[in-house]
Amino acid sequence: MSEQQPESKSKLPKLSAKAKYTFLFASWVFLSAFSFYLGMNLMGKEAPASLTLKNTPPSTVEETASEETTLSTENGETPSETKAEESKSVLEESSSENLIPSDFAAEENPSFRASAWSTDWSAMKKTVHLYNEIHPFIYVMKGGLSNNGELISSWSSTSRKERVQELRALNPKVKIIPTIFRWENPKEKIQENIGMGGRNDIRDKHIQIIVNEVETYGYDGIDIDYEGMSCDKKEKFEEFFVLLAKEIHKKGKLISVAVHPKTPAEKKKDLNCKGLSKPIHLDFRENWRGPTTHDYAFLAKHADRVKIMAYELHPRKYHNPGPGPQAPNVWLKDIIAYAKKRVPTHKLYMAIPTYGYDWALNCKASAKAVYHSDVLRIKGGTHKKHQPTDINQIIASENKVANWRNLSKFSDIHKNRAYEDPTLWYSSGGCDRVAFYMNRKAFEEKMNLLRKFDLGGFSFWQLVTDNDPEINDYLSLLVQGKLPPVQKVSDKELEEMLNPPKKVEEVKELKVSKTKDKSNKKQL
């Protein structure tokens, strides 16, 4: 285009080259600002009046230098230590061409979905074809006793983009739903991020950042894992979750929530918690601070997935209730019976542990997490294996039981129970030990139970390279829809589980108790 102006416009003052460039630059800045203003107004009209989402600067999500996030818990340990100790990587990473068999074909619309939480990138990449959903365990809240809405990610921004693409290339059908984790403990709280202290501004910023992460990295949704909250946070957590769910669903994405396990209580009562508008109805046994803030029925109305963390029935600390399995079927049945009345079946998942614990029976040595390589090591020496495991029967048949002080004092809780979870009984360093662990047989029995109750699926805590490889063989059949069908539990059976008929012995004890009460009243 010529720099000469038409004759009709030659009366305008002639501009220098510098002035022309200045004028053009100023015009560009004005037009860019005006376009940005129009775009922001359009975004504002789409958001609810109570929450206006904006583009969040990248600096609001910090990245850690290491591949794994340091996640604190109540005891100052990492969740992998508390729930399962450190994830182990003892197997070599496979080459990409061997990750998925050529004849593997996942079921199109599974009624029972397989999912897993994981910090182990190698394990995710190697087994992603065996899962319908993957939860990369990569986000934590920034700040300790107070929050500013921001997050920290153990994956860099580059890794987030590349790894999502790589997982999708390996399994185009998988849903990638990363987790945001925080466990309340003396050094870390869940406060302003859910609007405590009147800080709805920080809560809204927290929601903005979460939505921005989902959009930026193309996740299929987000998984909220806010654990151990004090009861006064129940209503604020629910307000936060409703707002977040609304924004996530606007983007056509999924929202998942991890909740504490609950089992039905025989005696129901109300808990008056300071700061709440109404009491918490305790119709469950687990009335410590964590479960009191997770209302299954309320959260299920807004969540697409409700994942019950059904593990740690026997924590690795000795004080109570000592050695035992982490998720026996007898306990899972009670959890399912409670949850089925409050959560729609297709949304309900049971989270199953991939680990067990190894306890010392007659010395003060610490309990340790048990994975597949640990099982192979123990089996390499002198040991006794039991599956199913009947602890009372074992105690009755062993001549060393008098020295098993870490188990014998808890023997009553195992009465009339045979666990599908296998055990290895052995000696090490002059100490008798028992290791509960997970193998394919125990896992298959748990899956059959969940399928009988027609649940939406299961989640693993957690997917690591050192899980029993035979479990992957089972998962391959499950995800491809090649397992034989199971007989579903009827509504009548479920009702009987919630309201079991009293045994003859219990009825006799009740009658004796009432007779004693009457005689005592007469004496008074």
Side-chain angles (χ1 to χ4, degrees), residues 262-281:
K262 298 181 184 183
T263 55
E266 293 177 8
K267 295 181 179 179
K268 302 172 178 62
K269 60 181 179 179
D270 287 340
L271 171 67
N272 290 304
C273 184
K274 188 177 180 181
L276 299 185
S277 63
K278 58 183 179 181
I280 299 172
H281 185 53

Side-chain angles (χ1 to χ4, degrees), residues 243-261:
L243 286 169
L244 176 61
K246 186 183 293 184
E247 297 303 324
I248 291 293
H249 287 150
K250 275 184 183 179
K251 304 296 183 182
K253 307 288 185 176
L254 300 169
I255 185 165
S256 170
V257 61
V259 296
H260 292 284

Side-chain angles (χ1 to χ4, degrees), residues 193-208:
N193 280 356
I194 59 172
M196 295 297 289
R199 295 308 302 268
N200 289 350
D201 57 328
I202 294 179
R203 177 202 66 193
D204 293 350
K205 178 184 176 184
H206 188 48
I207 293 172
Q208 290 175 205

Side-chain angles (χ1 to χ4, degrees), residues 342-511:
R342 293 157 181 83
V343 182
T345 296
H346 68 281
K347 294 184 177 185
L348 181 57
Y349 288 59
M350 285 293 117
I352 304 297
T354 60
Y355 64 95
Y357 286 136
D358 180 346
W359 281 274
L361 298 174
N362 52 3
C363 61
K364 292 183 178 180
S366 299
K368 302 175 289 187
V370 178
Y371 287 90
H372 182 60
S373 61
D374 302 301
V375 171
L376 295 179
R377 173 180 52 79
I378 296 169
K379 283 184 174 180
T382 303
H383 68 278
K384 293 180 181 179
K385 179 186 175 182
H386 291 274
Q387 187 177 13
T389 300
D390 188 328
I391 291 179
N392 287 107
Q393 189 179 64
I394 293 167
I395 289 176
S397 62
E398 287 288 339
N399 56 13
K400 297 186 288 185
V401 67
N403 295 323
W404 291 353
R405 57 183 179 273
N406 294 330
L407 175 60
S408 56
K409 61 184 176 182
F410 298 115
S411 60
D412 285 348
I413 68 172
H414 303 292
K415 189 177 181 181
N416 300 323
R417 292 184 173 184
Y419 304 118
E420 69 281 359
D421 305 71
T423 48
L424 297 171
W425 304 73
Y426 70 108
S427 296
S428 177
C431 184
D432 292 333
R433 304 190 68 95
V434 57
F436 280 84
Y437 65 99
M438 180 71 76
N439 65 359
R440 172 174 173 163
K441 187 174 186 298
F443 177 69
E444 191 164 343
E445 289 190 36
K446 295 180 197 301
M447 291 302 102
N448 284 341
L449 176 68
L450 304 193
R451 291 171 64 213
K452 283 178 183 177
F453 279 95
D454 204 25
L455 302 192
F458 83 94
S459 280
F460 256 157
W461 175 261
Q462 60 172 313
L463 167 60
V464 295
T465 309
D466 200 10
N467 292 338
D468 185 341
E470 288 189 17
I471 291 176
N472 290 340
D473 297 335
Y474 176 86
L475 288 176
S476 179
L477 297 175
L478 171 65
V479 174
Q480 295 185 85
K482 293 182 178 179
L483 292 176
V486 294
Q487 186 175 353
K488 306 296 183 183
V489 172
S490 67
D491 292 339
K492 182 181 178 182
E493 289 174 296
L494 182 63
E495 194 61 39
E496 287 176 355
M497 286 176 61
L498 279 170
N499 303 291
K502 286 185 169 56
K503 296 178 182 177
V504 177
E505 295 83 0
E506 292 176 346
V507 173
K508 286 180 179 178
E509 287 177 8
L510 184 62
K511 287 180 178 179

Side-chain angles (χ1 to χ4, degrees), residues 6-115:
E7 192 66 24
S8 60
K9 295 184 180 179
S10 61
K11 293 181 180 179
L12 293 172
K14 192 171 182 180
L15 299 175
S16 65
K18 183 178 180 181
K20 287 179 183 177
Y21 287 123
T22 302
F23 175 78
L24 288 172
F25 178 76
S27 301
W28 176 80
V29 170
F30 172 79
L31 289 172
S32 297
F34 185 68
S35 299
F36 178 78
Y37 171 80
L38 287 175
M40 293 302 292
N41 271 290
L42 287 171
M43 287 179 66
K45 288 176 183 177
E46 293 174 358
S50 59
L51 181 62
T52 303
L53 295 186
K54 302 173 183 177
N55 289 328
T56 310
S59 60
T60 54
V61 180
E62 292 191 358
E63 299 157 0
T64 60
S66 65
E67 283 301 316
E68 288 201 19
T69 311
T70 302
L71 306 167
S72 301
T73 63
E74 190 174 21
N75 299 317
E77 302 164 332
T78 66
S80 52
E81 288 173 328
T82 300
K83 296 178 182 176
E85 284 193 345
E86 287 188 23
S87 304
K88 300 182 179 182
S89 297
V90 297
L91 304 177
E92 292 296 324
E93 185 175 342
S94 328
S95 59
S96 57
E97 63 266 24
N98 295 325
L99 294 179
I100 305 176
S102 58
D103 60 345
F104 186 90
E107 197 175 5
E108 282 297 328
N109 297 298
S111 58
F112 185 78
R113 296 179 291 272
S115 66

